[in-house]
Amino acid sequence: MKRIYLDHAATTSVDPVVVEAMLNHFTKKFGNASSIHQFGQEAKVALENSREIIAKKINADSKEIVFTSGGTESNNLALKGVAFANRNKGKHIITSRIEHECILNSCKWLEKQGFEVTRLPVDQYGFVRLEDLEKAIRKDTILVSVIHANNEVGTIEPIEKIGKICKEHDVHFHTDACQSFTKVPLDVKKRNLDLVTINSHKIYGPMGVGALYIKEGVKIETWQHGGGHEKDIRSGTENVPGIVGFAKAVEIAKEHDIQRMAKLRDVLIKGVLEEIPNTKLNGHPTMRLCNNANFSFKYIEGESLVLRLDARGIACSTGSACSSHTLGPSHVLLSIGLTPEDAHSSLRITVGKGNTEEEMEYTINTLREEIKNLRKISPFGD
Amino acid sequence: MYTEEVMKQFMHPKNMGEIKNADGIGKAGNFICGDIMWIFIKVEKNKKEEVILKDIKFKTLGCAAAIATSSMITELAKGETLEGALKITKQDVANALGGLPPIKIHCSVLAADALSEAVYDYLSKNDLPISRELVKTHERIGKELETTEKKA
Ligand code: FES
């Protein structure tokens, strides 16, 4: 059976070009970047070249990039690091209700440490409203953290405007750009960004590598104490092969891939909405990630659909209840106003640069059949 | 995450559908996950004059475990006496499926609940005696279903 991978928001495969670039750093140039011998220095050069490439992609300076183990660590570092380093200025943090769990849980933890958190609601598409942000900013606000593009529904937030407001109020602005990095242009200067989280495994790089952009001058407390790596902000021997792979993935990310993904996404959305009754697209119709489609199919449940698609070779995911860790419906879908029932029936399809139109056709047809099957089983469906 | 048996019952559920003019209909819902299960029964008397479940069918809106447990409980209950059917526990269903992930155990509760509700419905419609225990179960399930439907 042919297998079709449509869960690129979870992770991508590693591009063979990336693997090729990494190989040397496992077996030949394998030194520790902190060592002063030649092996170490080779690794150091590779590390700094990579930093340069990544910095350039977001119009930052290479010394403003700190490597981490991925998005979760970067987000933790950004929130906790800025909060504790700026305690003398204030204790108020603003975020949105549709952030990734690592932001929401970091905020919860910060509340336990005495910080106060405002979680901004979003509209039906998932957009943070600027007037809500304006209203929420207080004298003691030290940080605003709003996701660049939502991981479930793909909505791209107005971060340029958010950045402007933050600047006017002299508040640090952080964005989690894990889903959008290389897909939506990100210029940290133009967008008034102080901190940006990015990672590698969503862009055809290896897992376990990420970075945090920290604008020069932003005060940040370290969370990982050790030998003083990464300018003492994040100690721990750098994952050089991973970082080299990350940089290579950035280098090979091309505009035509984005256009290709957007085209596939549109074929899929159009086909599904036209051919499957009682279906709705979640998120904004156009201001969405080039690879994201999120649907609710009435009268069925997401996990059941994901498993039936999997049995037919299609891998995608659900923001639904019954997926492994929790049973409650996705906080993002509820925040954009979906009923728990519609949230339970959601399916997220995220295409990648290697998918084809033929695969989209197969997916639409399979979806139609399996949804029909599940609706036959459902008390409300037929 | 699921056993082979769960996947088998989920992919090819047995006894799926409705029974027209059912003698009893049971409905149960889980207010945490929002899933809903309906069970239909048709009864007849056997040679020993005991009432048995001649036919049983289900309709379920839920996860794979919910669909698999629905299918399995109909298999276990078919041909059973009413007492026998009421004795089928969530553990029996889970065991017959080769186990369920801990977080999905409540799906098997749903199946046992819907079945006991179907029996309750049959007994009450026919003015037959209902045990105290069954009345209690009925009250609990009713409350849960109400919350689920309100949420949905
Ligand atoms: S019945 Fe809700 S998770 Fe299975």
Side-chain angles (χ1 to χ4, degrees):
Chain A
M1 184 178 47
K2 192 173 160 136
R3 297 212 301 163
I4 305 175
Y5 186 78
L6 294 174
D7 198 14
H8 291 85
T11 195
T12 55
S13 59
V14 182
D15 192 291
V17 175
V18 170
V19 175
E20 182 64 36
M22 291 168 72
L23 279 179
N24 245 339
H25 293 272
F26 285 113
T27 52
K28 294 201 181 79
K29 299 181 176 182
F30 57 83
N32 184 324
S34 297
S35 303
I36 55 168
H37 47 61
Q38 280 187 39
F39 287 93
Q41 289 314 293
E42 276 170 357
K44 176 92 180 147
V45 169
L47 180 67
E48 294 315 321
N49 281 343
S50 304
R51 206 187 299 278
E52 193 76 44
I53 291 166
I54 291 165
K56 214 169 134 206
K57 187 78 182 173
I58 56 173
N59 194 22
D61 193 285
S62 65
K63 57 179 182 298
E64 297 172 311
I65 301 291
V66 168
F67 287 114
T68 66
S69 65
T72 296
E73 190 191 329
S74 293
N75 281 337
N76 271 266
L77 175 60
L79 265 64
K80 296 173 184 175
V82 169
F84 276 83
N86 292 279
R87 254 180 312 182
N88 56 345
K89 197 185 155 217
K91 58 173 192 267
H92 183 228
I93 295 161
I94 299 173
T95 186
S96 85
R97 289 194 192 153
I98 59 160
E99 299 295 311
H100 189 274
E101 268 83 6
C102 61
I103 294 280
L104 296 176
N105 288 333
S106 292
C107 284
K108 260 194 214 159
W109 183 84
L110 282 166
E111 281 175 322
K112 282 194 206 139
Q113 314 306 315
F115 291 91
E116 287 172 21
V117 179
T118 301
R119 295 163 181 84
L120 299 175
V122 293
D123 69 11
Q124 55 172 325
Y125 298 118
F127 290 126
V128 165
R129 296 185 200 90
L130 301 175
E131 52 291 8
D132 289 342
L133 173 64
E134 289 265 17
K135 259 188 247 153
I137 294 179
R138 318 190 308 213
K139 272 207 191 78
D140 63 343
T141 306
I142 46 175
L143 178 69
V144 170
S145 179
V146 173
I147 198 164
H148 187 193
N150 182 264
N151 48 319
E152 282 188 46
V153 293
T155 302
I156 301 167
E157 297 294 331
I159 59 160
E160 185 166 3
K161 292 180 184 141
I162 295 174
K164 210 168 146 240
I165 294 171
C166 291
K167 195 171 182 199
E168 279 161 18
H169 291 83
D170 194 24
V171 173
H172 287 324
F173 179 33
H174 164 252
T175 194
D176 169 4
C178 287
Q179 292 293 341
S180 60
F181 183 45
T182 71
K183 296 188 185 76
V184 184
L186 186 65
D187 182 318
V188 291
K189 302 225 162 67
K190 272 197 203 142
R191 301 279 187 268
N192 287 315
L193 280 153
D194 298 301
L195 302 115
V196 179
T197 292
I198 51 177
N199 68 356
S200 148
H201 73 104
K202 316 271 192 207
I203 61 164
Y204 301 92
M207 287 179 184
V209 194
L212 181 65
Y213 157 76
I214 309 168
K215 186 178 169 180
E216 211 183 356
V218 169
K219 280 202 286 173
I220 192 154
E221 185 77 48
T222 180
W223 286 89
Q224 190 152 308
H225 304 96
H229 307 79
E230 298 295 296
K231 291 194 290 36
D232 212 9
I233 294 173
R234 198 273 185 187
S235 282
T237 303
E238 290 90 350
N239 171 4
V240 177
I243 290 168
V244 167
F246 186 11
K248 189 44 111 186
V250 171
E251 253 181 347
I252 63 169
K254 293 284 175 311
E255 180 58 31
H256 62 82
D257 287 329
I258 293 164
Q259 280 163 14
R260 216 181 111 70
M261 286 190 263
K263 201 169 154 216
L264 294 176
R265 171 201 65 186
D266 293 341
V267 167
L268 189 75
I269 291 177
K270 189 165 177 275
V272 166
L273 293 181
E274 274 174 9
E275 291 189 34
I276 304 172
N278 290 314
T279 299
K280 125 183 205 319
L281 179 73
N282 298 316
H284 194 270
T286 53
M287 279 297 286
R288 66 188 308 132
L289 284 173
C290 60
N291 67 338
N292 173 295
N294 187 310
F295 305 100
S296 285
F297 301 105
K298 276 219 177 303
Y299 317 127
I300 61 155
E301 192 278 328
E303 186 211 68
S304 292
L305 182 58
V306 166
L307 288 174
R308 279 184 172 252
L309 293 175
D310 189 45
R312 298 192 55 185
I314 301 170
C316 45
S317 86
T318 174
S320 144
C322 303
S323 61
S324 44
H325 301 304
T326 70
L327 294 174
S330 130
H331 66 280
V332 174
L333 298 176
L334 294 182
S335 297
I336 62 170
L338 258 62
T339 60
E341 189 191 20
D342 282 347
H344 277 296
S345 73
S346 74
L347 183 79
R348 180 186 71 179
I349 299 180
T350 42
V351 300
K353 61 182 182 179
N355 290 123
T356 62
E357 270 200 45
E358 203 190 332
E359 288 175 341
M360 296 305 109
E361 288 310 320
Y362 175 75
T363 303
I364 295 164
N365 289 334
T366 312
L367 265 173
R368 195 185 43 228
E369 287 164 24
E370 291 305 336
I371 286 167
K372 208 167 170 201
N373 286 335
L374 284 170
R375 282 180 178 163
K376 261 193 221 148
I377 302 177
S378 166
F380 312 108
D382 232 1
Chain B
M1 125 180 208
Y2 287 128
T3 62
E4 236 174 80
E5 189 58 36
V6 171
M7 286 309 288
K8 208 172 104 196
Q9 299 280 339
F10 164 63
M11 291 301 291
H12 308 285
K14 306 264 172 56
N15 310 310
M16 191 270 291
E18 287 180 28
I19 299 177
K20 292 239 160 64
N21 309 317
D23 294 319
I25 301 177
K27 297 181 179 180
N30 182 297
F31 63 91
I32 306 170
C33 64
D35 295 350
I36 285 180
M37 198 179 286
W38 292 2
I39 281 186
F40 305 81
I41 55 172
K42 194 92 197 156
V43 302
E44 71 173 12
K45 282 196 177 148
N46 64 8
K47 281 185 199 133
K48 288 194 237 156
E49 285 295 299
E50 295 166 322
V51 180
I52 60 159
L53 300 184
K54 182 179 170 243
D55 197 9
I56 173 163
K57 287 211 154 86
F58 80 89
K59 284 225 147 179
T60 293
L61 161 59
C63 68
I67 292 173
T69 53
S70 313
S71 167
M72 186 49 93
I73 206 161
T74 58
E75 289 282 275
L76 295 177
K78 212 175 203 173
E80 272 292 338
T81 59
L82 295 187
E83 292 73 41
L86 287 174
K87 276 196 198 115
I88 301 173
T89 62
K90 60 174 183 179
Q91 199 53 50
D92 296 331
V93 182
N95 288 349
L97 288 167
L100 282 169
I103 198 168
K104 298 288 187 171
I105 292 293
H106 72 275
C107 314
S108 54
V109 181
L110 218 53
D113 281 357
L115 177 58
S116 75
E117 280 292 272
V119 173
Y120 179 94
D121 185 43
Y122 163 73
L123 294 174
S124 63
K125 268 189 203 151
N126 292 281
D127 282 331
L128 292 164
I130 303 174
S131 74
R132 266 239 193 116
E133 211 181 322
L134 189 55
V135 173
K136 260 202 203 155
T137 316
H138 168 71
E139 283 168 2
R140 169 181 59 79
I141 299 168
K143 264 190 215 135
E144 279 174 14
L145 188 66
E146 211 178 288
T147 335
T148 310
E149 284 175 344
K150 239 186 246 153
K151 268 190 142 187

